[in-house]
Amino acid sequence: MLSKHVADTLVQVSKGTQMGDFLRLFWVPFHLSAAIEADGMPKRVKLMGEDMVVFRDTLGRVGLVDNACAHRRAPMAYARNEDCGLRCVYHGWKYDITGQCVDQPAEPANSRFKNRVRIKAYPCRERNGVIWAYMGPETDEAIPDLPNVEWNLVDPEQVHVTIRVQETNWLQALEGDIDSAHAGFLHGRVDNDGRMKRNLNVRDMRPTFDVVQKDWGVSIASRRIVSDEDYYWRVNQFVFPWFTFSPPQSVFPELTGHAWVPMDDEHTLVVTFSYVPDAPLYPKTRALFEEGYKGRETGHPSRHAYRTDNPGAPYAGYWTRFNAENDFLIDAQEQKTTWFSGIPGLWVQDTGCQAGLGPIIDRTLERLGASDAGIVVARHSLLDASRAYRESGTVPAGVTEPDQSMIRAVAIRLPRDQEVWQAAGEFMQARLGAGFGYTP
């Protein structure tokens, strides 16, 4: 269990907190490029407790600026996006993508006042359909390069990316994705139908764990018995600061993962990605992600999952209809006859267990076991790295070395006498354009 001080340190993300300052060292994936139109309405976003708007100017450049005009603090979410800037509808003050005020039409014509006015703004970059922001410290040094995460480097036809809002703190969500022990239970069935019954990771419900801390994060290997000769290994990866990577399934051979980006201490922007490293994503898989399957959700929020009744919220349009208020639409009859949990779909099942007791669970009451080794090491790695930055200015290698993020999760069957880190280590290093290197 954690002390209250440590638990709070891990989930508090505003500027000036230990974790908040640490997370701001890294580029933040925070929106889909296709949703931000040139000269379109600015869209509200919230990142690490900061209320902002994102927009695309007339020249196609993306800006991320404060959602408050410097003049009378009117909302920039209502601003007119015109002629390479946002013009506040209250008094007409206009700002470019750098936050610089470029026009104050009600001020004297010869006034230079606008030159001294700026609103908060963060630099943005786009790559393969995703917008990234850098919210790190302002120094004379150049801002770091984008991380080389494989899912954002492959061709667009190889990947499917979605975003949604989850009503829980970021670490509470992240930890669920590096917990390999829950799959056979939470995502399992109680009947004899469905592909889950054929997956190797549900045949042995008592996996053995081997956890290794890395410069870039944590590798969590779970070992299951599948025969007298072989073990089945699944290696989940946690890559600083918020990336998790899950292994492929034999029946769903694509790599999947998430960026768990904190909106504030109680809400998370979930960026979900699934991709095939060396070929187009299967059309049937993409259709399942977009449409769901027989009324159930898959690994991505389908187009039917989103709410449209909260236009004034940050990330409006990306909140989902599955939440604690409606018990994530759990079906008691389905729980008795078909699905172990009764919750309708993969990501909804995860979210229900992560957020069902509220946005910040009291970690001082939890009782962890051997199967939680990966979660324990991930917490300590975050605490150690954030403390080192706070106390001595030590910056993690992943900030300045983009290739530190070229990591893959692995699912592989090995003879019992082979050690997973040696036998499968090469398959955990992502190589752009290369296949799995083994048969998942």
Side-chain angles (χ1 to χ4, degrees):
M1 67 181 67
L2 296 175
S3 70
K4 187 177 188 308
H5 170 72
V6 171
D8 290 345
T9 298
L10 284 166
V11 304
Q12 291 173 351
V13 296
S14 59
K15 186 176 289 187
T17 64
Q18 178 174 314
M19 193 57 61
D21 289 348
F22 175 74
L23 295 176
R24 282 169 171 77
L25 295 172
F26 298 85
W27 279 93
V28 186
F30 77 97
H31 224 295
L32 303 179
S33 293
I36 310 301
E37 301 178 358
D39 287 339
M41 284 289 293
K43 294 184 180 292
R44 292 179 178 87
V45 302
K46 192 169 191 175
L47 296 172
M48 291 180 274
E50 301 186 35
D51 289 299
M52 295 171 287
V53 294
V54 59
F55 70 103
R56 191 183 299 278
D57 75 5
T58 310
L59 298 179
R61 302 170 299 183
V62 175
L64 179 64
V65 301
D66 196 346
N67 186 26
C69 177
H71 181 206
R72 297 284 303 282
R73 308 298 289 172
M76 295 302 293
Y78 304 153
R80 296 176 58 88
N81 186 0
E82 59 185 22
D83 299 327
C84 289
L86 288 186
R87 189 179 295 279
C88 178
V89 295
Y90 202 5
H91 299 93
W93 286 26
K94 184 179 177 181
Y95 305 88
D96 64 17
I97 62 170
T98 72
Q100 177 63 52
C101 185
V102 295
D103 191 24
Q104 297 171 329
E107 294 297 310
N110 61 350
S111 172
R112 301 177 64 182
F113 180 31
K114 68 177 184 294
N115 299 333
R116 304 195 302 274
V117 175
R118 300 179 65 90
I119 56 175
K120 177 176 61 182
Y122 293 114
C124 296
R125 292 181 186 170
E126 293 184 89
R127 188 172 65 191
N128 284 10
V130 176
I131 306 174
W132 300 68
Y134 183 70
M135 302 172 66
E138 296 181 9
T139 66
D140 294 333
E141 299 180 8
I143 60 177
D145 293 329
L146 288 175
N148 287 334
V149 283
E150 187 177 29
W151 62 272
N152 196 220
L153 293 170
V154 298
D155 290 338
E157 64 267 21
Q158 294 174 233
V159 64
H160 186 74
V161 183
T162 53
I163 64 175
R164 64 179 172 86
V165 172
Q166 182 164 317
E167 296 169 74
T168 181
N169 74 76
W170 75 287
L171 192 62
Q172 201 162 298
L174 182 153
E175 289 175 350
D177 213 35
I178 57 174
D179 168 17
S180 188
H182 78 271
F185 297 96
L186 179 62
H187 305 313
R189 302 180 69 121
V190 295
D191 60 9
N192 291 316
D193 296 328
R195 291 178 172 178
M196 281 296 296
K197 289 289 185 180
R198 303 200 297 270
N199 288 344
L200 295 178
N201 66 313
V202 302
R203 295 186 187 177
D204 180 359
M205 304 295 275
R206 297 184 185 273
T208 300
F209 288 84
D210 189 1
V211 181
V212 177
Q213 192 164 348
K214 305 281 190 177
D215 290 341
W216 43 260
V218 182
S219 288
I220 304 105
S222 60
R223 188 191 74 192
R224 290 173 169 85
I225 298 172
V226 291
S227 74
D228 292 338
E229 296 81 26
D230 295 342
Y231 288 131
Y232 178 61
W233 289 93
R234 290 181 64 80
V235 183
N236 291 68
Q237 310 284 17
F238 163 50
V239 177
F240 283 156
W242 37 52
F243 294 110
T244 55
F245 301 95
S246 300
Q249 303 276 6
S250 57
V251 291
F252 298 110
E254 71 268 345
L255 292 159
T256 296
H258 303 84
W260 307 95
V261 177
M263 294 168 56
D264 55 27
D265 294 353
E266 298 187 348
H267 298 84
T268 300
L269 176 70
V270 186
V271 182
T272 304
F273 46 87
S274 297
Y275 68 100
V276 178
D278 61 341
L281 188 65
Y282 325 107
K284 183 177 181 180
T285 298
R286 195 183 297 276
L288 285 171
F289 290 155
E290 293 175 349
E291 299 295 330
Y293 180 69
K294 295 183 178 180
R296 298 176 60 82
E297 295 291 295
T298 59
H300 288 254
S302 73
R303 66 183 182 90
H304 311 289
Y306 295 109
R307 294 168 48 191
T308 59
D309 59 347
N310 56 346
Y315 286 104
Y318 294 105
W319 296 61
T320 75
R321 59 191 180 91
F322 303 94
N323 53 57
E325 292 182 2
N326 58 29
D327 273 339
F328 298 90
L329 299 180
I330 189 170
D331 187 320
Q333 183 60 31
E334 285 274 283
Q335 189 180 76
K336 288 181 179 180
T337 61
T338 309
W339 296 95
F340 188 85
S341 70
I343 300 174
L346 188 66
W347 71 262
V348 190
Q349 293 161 359
D350 286 323
T351 305
C353 287
Q354 294 159 11
L357 290 181
I360 303 179
I361 292 173
D362 185 353
R363 293 302 183 192
T364 68
L365 301 178
E366 67 183 3
R367 302 290 295 276
L368 303 184
S371 62
D372 302 305
I375 290 172
V376 172
V377 176
R379 290 175 181 175
H380 282 294
S381 68
L382 281 167
L383 286 168
D384 291 344
S386 60
R387 186 183 301 114
Y389 175 64
R390 191 173 189 85
E391 294 178 355
S392 62
T394 303
V395 174
V399 172
T400 56
E401 300 175 22
D403 285 342
Q404 287 270 326
S405 301
M406 286 290 281
I407 303 297
R408 288 182 185 172
V410 168
I412 191 168
R413 189 167 175 164
L414 294 173
R416 291 195 177 198
D417 61 353
Q418 290 190 14
E419 195 264 345
V420 66
W421 307 114
Q422 182 176 358
E426 63 176 300
F427 308 133
M428 300 180 202
Q429 184 63 50
R431 300 175 305 281
L432 197 61
F436 291 108
Y438 65 97
T439 300

